[in-house]
Amino acid sequence: METVIQPYGFTTQLDLPDVRFREVREKPFDIYGLYDAHAEGVFRRLPADVAEATSAGVKNLSVHTAGGRVRFCTDSQYIALHAIMPVMGHMDHFAYTGSTSFDVYVWEGSRYYFYAGYRPGIDPSVKKMEGVVRFPDRKLRQIMIHFPLYSSVEKFYIGLQEDAALDHGLRYRYDKPVVYYGSSITQGGCASRPGTSYQSIISIDYDCDFINLGFSGNAKAEPAIRDYMASLDMSVFVMDYDHNAPSVEHLKETHEPLYRAVRAAHPDLPIVMVTAPDTQQYVHGSGDYRNARRAVIYETYQKALAEGDRNVRFIDGESLFEGRYHDVCTVDGCHPNDAGFIRMADKIGHTVASLLK
């Protein structure tokens, strides 16, 4: 039986007689990783004008909610979810629980741990999702919910017991976000859950906020997004867009200018330069093309060092999946599965953690 939820006017099929829904844009929910998250309309990662000026692809992908999180504290024995989702990502190589769903983390001891996820349906024509996560007892818990990686969200309602306590969630130890710019891998393809993208793992390990500016197939360091990223107040900037530069020449034309734009705006900001990860080089070898791309990024790094910049780091993407079982780290030789993202989080996270202040 459907129930109309007031004052919002949506209907739910969840059988929760004592539920009270709230929109996550309301206080005391705290939203992280999204641009102007309390504005009406779809949640987005970029200002609309910047996205449009960058490219049609970035305009479309900017409303995918990769990296979005909501934190709060409650003693409700369940957390219900109802989301209106104009775009629900369904791909043949990507679990719906990663592209389309939300997952729930609970603070235990000294960090957040995964507790449960909401299972999305498999019908892409259904533009909403709802579900409930239950706890074995009723006590005060610190909650974090990740938004989907490859879907858009227009409304997001959280349902708690009507008499439940509700307050702000824990703040991050490092308030200034780490900003990641890059490809579909950066956006989170193909993590099994939003919480297993490499940025989410790093964020949980080191309690640092982050912004995910990964744009699947569309991270090309155009002037509009370059200048926007240079304007951000951040703790670390990670340049991870090698995969999306359409040619070695394009990488030469954009990589150093992106570094210089960010450095001009932030003289002391730590900047991390990463080359593309893959598993195929372990089977077929890197090849001249991969080596040429790596050389472009390494040259930017070497020039920065030669000019006295001691706040730059270089990570060779060929090291990210190396070692035993390197061949099980991706779903297709390119996009990481959770095994791949854990390895990326270990190596990139170690560098990021050394730079956080």
Side-chain angles (χ1 to χ4, degrees):
M1 183 179 71
E2 290 193 338
T3 302
V4 178
I5 299 298
Q6 300 297 346
Y8 305 110
F10 68 85
T11 61
T12 180
Q13 293 182 326
L14 298 175
D15 185 15
L16 300 168
D18 62 344
V19 70
R20 178 186 172 190
F21 278 92
R22 297 172 174 87
E23 220 275 344
V24 295
R25 289 183 170 101
E26 299 174 2
K27 294 180 179 180
F29 297 110
D30 300 309
I31 301 174
Y32 296 91
L34 299 174
Y35 172 76
D36 197 12
H38 291 88
E40 289 300 314
V42 295
F43 291 96
R44 58 178 58 252
R45 293 183 287 150
L46 283 176
D49 58 341
V50 172
E52 186 168 359
T54 301
S55 70
V58 168
K59 179 182 177 182
N60 292 333
L61 293 166
S62 67
V63 295
H64 289 189
T65 53
R69 287 143 283 141
V70 59
R71 285 183 168 192
F72 57 97
C73 180
T74 185
D75 66 352
S76 180
Q77 200 167 345
Y78 62 76
I79 300 173
L81 172 146
H82 183 95
I84 307 300
M85 304 172 66
V87 175
M88 301 183 77
H90 288 74
M91 288 161 272
D92 60 5
H93 66 324
F94 198 167
Y96 296 168
T97 50
S99 66
T100 306
S101 194
F102 302 75
D103 58 14
V104 176
Y105 280 65
V106 178
W107 182 270
E108 292 288 348
S110 60
R111 56 165 283 179
Y112 281 95
Y113 287 88
F114 171 66
Y115 183 80
Y118 299 93
R119 298 284 292 274
I122 61 173
D123 183 353
S125 68
V126 177
K127 302 300 183 183
K128 67 178 181 179
M129 193 175 108
E130 65 178 14
V132 60
V133 167
R134 301 180 186 273
F135 300 108
D137 54 11
R138 187 165 182 179
K139 67 178 184 179
L140 203 62
R141 292 178 171 88
Q142 294 286 345
I143 305 295
M144 176 170 65
I145 302 177
H146 292 98
F147 283 66
L149 295 168
Y150 271 71
S151 298
S152 66
V153 180
E154 184 173 0
K155 294 287 186 180
F156 179 9
Y157 303 96
I158 290 175
L160 308 173
Q161 288 176 285
E162 191 170 14
D163 63 346
L166 177 63
D167 205 345
H168 293 281
L170 293 173
R171 300 290 300 180
Y172 282 95
R173 178 182 179 187
Y174 300 99
D175 280 332
K176 285 188 178 182
V178 180
V179 175
Y180 299 87
Y181 177 63
S183 66
S184 54
I185 294 173
T186 311
Q187 188 172 334
C190 295
S192 68
R193 297 184 284 102
T196 57
S197 69
Y198 83 79
Q199 305 92 342
S200 295
I201 297 171
I202 292 171
S203 174
I204 289 169
D205 278 349
Y206 301 107
D207 200 18
C208 54
D209 191 12
F210 72 97
I211 296 173
N212 185 330
L213 295 180
F215 299 101
S216 183
N218 284 275
K220 300 176 183 177
E222 299 93 337
I225 197 165
R226 178 192 68 201
D227 295 344
Y228 171 73
M229 291 189 295
S231 75
L232 296 174
D233 189 15
M234 49 190 157
S235 60
V236 180
F237 181 55
V238 180
M239 299 169 57
D240 182 22
Y241 78 102
D242 181 0
H243 256 307
N244 282 174
S247 65
V248 174
E249 291 69 29
H250 184 278
L251 200 57
K252 286 180 180 178
E253 292 170 0
T254 59
H255 196 268
E256 185 177 340
L258 174 56
Y259 156 73
R260 294 198 178 279
V262 175
R263 176 56 73 231
H266 305 277
D268 299 316
L269 176 73
I271 298 176
V272 181
M273 304 174 190
V274 186
T275 66
D278 270 312
T279 59
Q280 294 304 305
Q281 72 267 15
Y282 300 117
V283 179
H284 304 296
S286 296
D288 293 341
Y289 183 65
R290 282 187 53 80
N291 287 336
R293 297 172 72 94
R294 178 186 179 279
V296 170
I297 296 170
Y298 193 66
E299 183 179 4
T300 304
Y301 169 68
Q302 287 293 321
K303 281 185 178 179
L305 290 179
E307 293 169 4
D309 190 340
R310 294 298 176 261
N311 285 315
V312 290
R313 301 291 187 274
F314 174 82
I315 297 176
D316 188 345
E318 293 196 4
S319 72
L320 294 176
F321 300 148
E322 68 184 354
R324 193 180 184 203
Y325 300 128
H326 60 77
D327 60 311
V328 304
C329 288
T330 74
V331 300
D332 54 7
C334 174
H335 297 93
N337 53 28
D338 289 355
F341 276 127
I342 288 169
R343 293 194 185 193
M344 292 184 71
D346 279 345
K347 295 197 175 183
I348 298 174
H350 179 77
T351 298
V352 168
S354 72
L355 299 170
L356 289 168
K357 297 177 183 179

